[in-house]
């Protein structure tokens, strides 16, 4: 039986789904000669660690209890009553994770799984790379920091997986890596990588006012608590940056041209969320509707896309043919069109749900399993 | 530098494109710390082998000369003048490949790459698995033989790659394997996996007679020399069988329900290709046109698809909504819709060119590179 020890950082929605998947896949993985051993789980405040790191992980019933505790909004430290673990609290968390990494990283190997949404994990991840650990990320922040951080993480590229940083579980990164390693030159990539903005753009296309669509999207749970986090385009820009860097572009977030769907005067520093939803948005309706109509008069539709072509990387609204994979996109699906030498007239298209905790966790789990050849 | 020694079986169009890609990717792979060492290349009649297997492969200029010789329709044995190789001829080829496998397989590791279209390679592949070799296939035949052969090849599943057996270089197998290993239950798969039949079905949809469309497809080089090889559905059935087996269905080719687009009375045993094209096809026009019209009256279109759902595996014409990824398909692209727990309402869709030597070779090369963690 091949054992993959792992520490999970972040047990919000994605992290919890991952733990549940790991538990429910026990017999599947076992039939493949594989055992995923969860030796530690942490959030921003606490870390629980197996009390016999080299020999056993946290038990499955413990992991499910942990998911229950976190779902209920309680603290991980509550789990210390449970017996089979030790618990550490901030600020000794990161130090403790690195201690484990140095202790078992070289002996059994270790995967550090980052399902947080924090920029703080990058310190741990950088050091863990030096200690020979593998890293799996759903968190985009460590990959969209400086080029120096990026290069450091990719010092041993085979030990890094991050499928769920772009398009959740959609096989975007895996496919792009295959294209790169087969030497098929990428001409350009264009994609709709925000389920929220995909939904918004296809709804305004039907003539609905932007303000109404955004409010509905918020009610449906499609947006962040402050919808400006989606409408500003920064999340899409991070995804675009990750794709551009995979293609070898040594660029930073600030080299990406980002079109925000709201002006600075309606930013979070100026306006409350409520104000933005009640008043701000209304002022944006006419402009978007004019653009939608102008596009329609050319037989086109508007999509909020990222475009990567050579060293150019842009994020914003584009007018696209109605009869293209992107133009036909409805609802909250993500879609990516990749044009290469092999896919020159018609692109390689990958499409499907690009958000959701379960889908994101599925991508993370597939990444972990895919690292198995590095473990003994 | 990590070295991956490989032997290529089959140097038709795909094999030659692969060799050219390997040569042109030298500096790319080298920058990744990787060296693909081609120690032998064979076709059905001859095998050329490096004269110092453990230390060096066939040189790049030799490989390009080999491509030239094969393109010109000449024999590989012509290359023995070239100096740096030994040449073997049928019937000692397979024995010699296995000798190499036993000689270097355990020391440096070895990838056997099957870019042939032959059923005969399965003997070598089965034995090579026992010797610890990795296997990469573009050839569908070894995977669509008996379940016993299939299981034998997949005895060590991490050592087997075969992306280019379905949809050429499209990341179909890689994506499906990720879904399986993340424990996301597949509900069903539906796909158009023949560029030829995709083209034919979208042209008859426009009202063109089948006979005219097939003849045009033949002129365009979209069909096999005998178009019945495409129209019979066997090629699609092989692809469907591979997908079904990946999903764990222990079925054989003869358990698949295959709809042929021509009746037995027009089969190759009864009618010449010319007769079929000149007379036979005309007799099929009306029936297809009636079905196209009936589908259109329901707002649907006809597509030649494979459907895999539970233990059911079918290949044939289906009536599908015009407004679905499959219904919108035009021309010779392949498209696969995968419905799982994560992708339940809207499928995961992979679409793009599913044929062509260059694309197929790209998939094979990505497979080889992806095996690198098994080499030292």
């Amino acid at each position: 039986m091949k054992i993959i020890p792992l520490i999970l950082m972040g047990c919000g929605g994605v992290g919890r789904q991952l733990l549940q998947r790991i538990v429910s896949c026990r017999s599947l993985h076992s039939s493949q000669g594989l055992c995923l051993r969860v030796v530690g789980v942490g959030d921003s405040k606490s870390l629980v660690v197996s009390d016999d790191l080299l020999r056993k992980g946290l038990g499955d019933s413990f992991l499910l209890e942990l998911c229950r505790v976190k779902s209920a909004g309680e603290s991980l430290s509550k789990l210390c009553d449970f017996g089979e673990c030790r618990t550490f609290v901030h600020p000794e968390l990161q130090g403790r994770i690195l201690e484990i990494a140095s202790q078992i990283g070289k002996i059994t190997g270790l995967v550090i799984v980052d399902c947080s949404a924090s920029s703080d994990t990058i310190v741990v991840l950088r050091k863990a790379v030096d200690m020979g650990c593998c890293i799996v990320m759903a968190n985009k922040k460590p990959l969209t920091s400086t080029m120096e951080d990026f290069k450091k993480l990719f010092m041993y590229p085979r030990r890094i997986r991050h499928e769920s940083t772009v398009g959740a579980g959609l096989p975007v990164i895996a496919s792009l890596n295959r294209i790169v390693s087969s030497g098929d030159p990428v001409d350009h990539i264009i994609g709709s990588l925000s389920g929220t903005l995909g939904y918004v753009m296809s709804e305004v296309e039907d003539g609905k006012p932007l303000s109404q669509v955004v409010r509905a999207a918020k009610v449906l749970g499609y947006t962040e608590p402050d919808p400006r986090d989606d409408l500003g385009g920064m999340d899409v820009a991070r995804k675009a940056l990750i794709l551009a860097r995979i293609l070898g572009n040594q660029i930073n977030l600030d080299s990406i041209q980002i079109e925000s769907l709201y002006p600075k005067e309606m930013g979070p520093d100026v306006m409350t969320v409520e104000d933005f939803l009640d008043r701000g948005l209304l002022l944006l309706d006419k402009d978007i509707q004019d653009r939608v109509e102008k596009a329609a008069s050319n037989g086109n539709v508007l999509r909020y896309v990222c475009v990567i072509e050579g060293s150019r990387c842009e994020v914003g609204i584009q007018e696209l043919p109605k009869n293209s994979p992107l133009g036909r996109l409805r609802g909250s699906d993500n879609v990516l069109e990749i044009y290469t030498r092999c896919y020159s007239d018609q692109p390689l298209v990958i499409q499907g749900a690009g958000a959701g905790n379960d889908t994101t966790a599925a991508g993370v789990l597939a990444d972990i399993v895919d690292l198995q050849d590095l473990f003994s």
Side-chain angles (χ1 to χ4, degrees), chain A:
Chain A
M1 187 68 72
K2 188 171 278 211
I3 292 168
I4 306 184
L6 62 93
I7 292 182
L8 171 63
M9 301 196 296
C11 37
V14 174
R16 292 202 303 276
Q17 286 285 348
L18 175 65
L19 291 176
Q20 281 163 11
R21 257 181 195 265
I22 288 175
V23 170
S24 67
C25 285
R26 283 282 177 225
S27 66
L28 169 76
H29 291 151
S30 168
S31 73
Q32 297 164 348
L34 210 59
C35 171
L36 272 58
R37 179 185 280 172
V38 183
V39 298
V41 179
D43 58 17
S44 61
K45 299 198 191 75
S46 318
L47 172 72
V48 292
V49 175
S50 159
D51 54 16
D52 187 3
L53 281 174
L54 279 171
R55 260 173 233 94
K56 64 184 184 66
L58 300 164
D60 284 351
S61 53
F62 181 91
L63 293 175
L64 296 177
E65 175 64 15
L66 186 154
C67 291
R68 202 200 54 74
V69 163
K70 282 295 295 186
S71 284
E74 296 167 8
S75 162
L76 283 185
S77 59
K78 216 181 160 209
L79 290 157
C80 59
D81 312 336
F82 217 89
E84 56 184 295
C85 70
R86 285 169 299 161
T87 309
F88 305 88
V89 293
H90 190 76
E92 59 169 332
L93 305 184
Q94 297 209 342
R96 187 56 199 153
I97 291 175
L98 289 172
E99 231 175 276
I100 298 172
S102 78
Q103 207 176 330
I104 71 171
K106 300 256 161 152
I107 305 174
T108 62
L110 178 67
V111 184
I112 311 249
V113 182
D114 185 356
C115 290
S116 77
S118 161
S119 304
D120 298 340
T121 57
I122 194 153
V123 182
V124 175
L125 296 178
R126 281 189 60 147
K127 290 186 180 161
V129 164
D130 277 333
M131 292 170 180
C133 294
C134 293
I135 290 171
V136 173
M137 282 165 277
N139 183 7
K140 287 181 279 294
K141 303 269 173 71
L143 294 177
T144 52
S145 163
T146 63
M147 260 315 290
E148 191 213 332
D149 281 337
F150 186 85
K151 281 185 182 168
K152 176 77 187 176
L153 290 177
F154 275 84
M155 186 178 284
Y156 306 101
R158 298 293 295 182
R159 293 200 213 137
I160 303 289
R161 305 289 153 121
H162 58 99
E163 186 58 82
S164 295
T165 55
V166 180
L170 289 178
V172 166
I173 307 294
S175 302
L176 208 53
N177 279 333
R178 288 184 64 89
I179 287 171
V180 170
S181 69
S182 70
D184 197 25
V186 173
D187 185 75
H188 68 284
I189 290 179
I190 178 165
S192 175
L193 295 175
S194 159
T196 316
L197 292 172
Y199 172 83
V200 167
M201 297 315 290
S202 65
E203 291 289 295
V204 295
E205 182 187 330
D206 294 344
K208 294 180 192 156
L210 179 72
S211 54
Q212 184 187 322
V213 171
V214 172
R215 278 185 221 128
K218 186 170 156 63
V219 171
L220 286 165
Y222 285 2
T223 70
E224 296 293 321
D226 183 345
R228 285 170 294 190
D229 289 345
D230 300 295
L231 299 175
M234 184 51 80
D235 182 65
V236 177
R238 285 190 194 277
K239 292 170 181 167
L241 179 61
I242 292 171
L243 297 180
R245 285 178 168 180
I246 290 178
L247 295 182
N249 287 351
Q250 305 209 6
I251 59 170
N252 290 314
L253 210 45
D254 58 15
S255 6
I256 298 179
Q257 198 180 310
I258 307 173
E259 179 184 357
S260 169
L261 293 195
Y262 65 88
K264 274 201 191 107
E265 308 86 74
M266 297 186 193
D269 305 336
V270 187
M271 230 178 225
T272 64
V273 182
E274 290 69 29
D275 255 12
F276 176 71
L277 287 169
D278 291 344
R279 298 187 303 109
L281 267 173
L282 288 171
L283 303 173
L284 305 175
D285 283 347
K286 176 146 190 342
D287 177 51
I288 285 284
Q289 212 46 53
D290 287 351
R291 289 173 76 178
V292 167
E293 280 161 19
K294 183 169 162 293
S297 70
N298 299 328
N300 292 334
V301 294
L302 299 184
R303 291 291 177 262
Y304 195 94
V305 294
C306 74
V307 180
I308 302 158
E309 183 165 20
S311 58
R312 182 167 73 99
C313 186
E314 286 176 16
V315 166
I317 292 181
Q318 290 223 354
E319 218 180 289
L320 293 164
K322 206 173 163 57
N323 189 32
S324 67
L326 272 160
R328 285 188 299 257
L329 190 66
R330 305 294 306 171
S332 63
D333 264 10
N334 279 195
V335 62
L336 195 73
E337 300 179 21
I338 308 174
Y339 293 81
T340 73
R341 189 179 74 196
C342 281
Y343 305 101
S344 53
D345 294 335
Q346 297 285 339
L348 165 58
V349 182
I350 298 166
Q351 181 170 347
N357 292 339
D358 193 28
T359 313
T360 307
V364 173
L365 183 52
D367 274 353
I368 298 170
V369 170
D370 205 33
L371 287 166
Q372 65 182 282
D373 296 331
L374 299 169
F375 290 78
S376 53

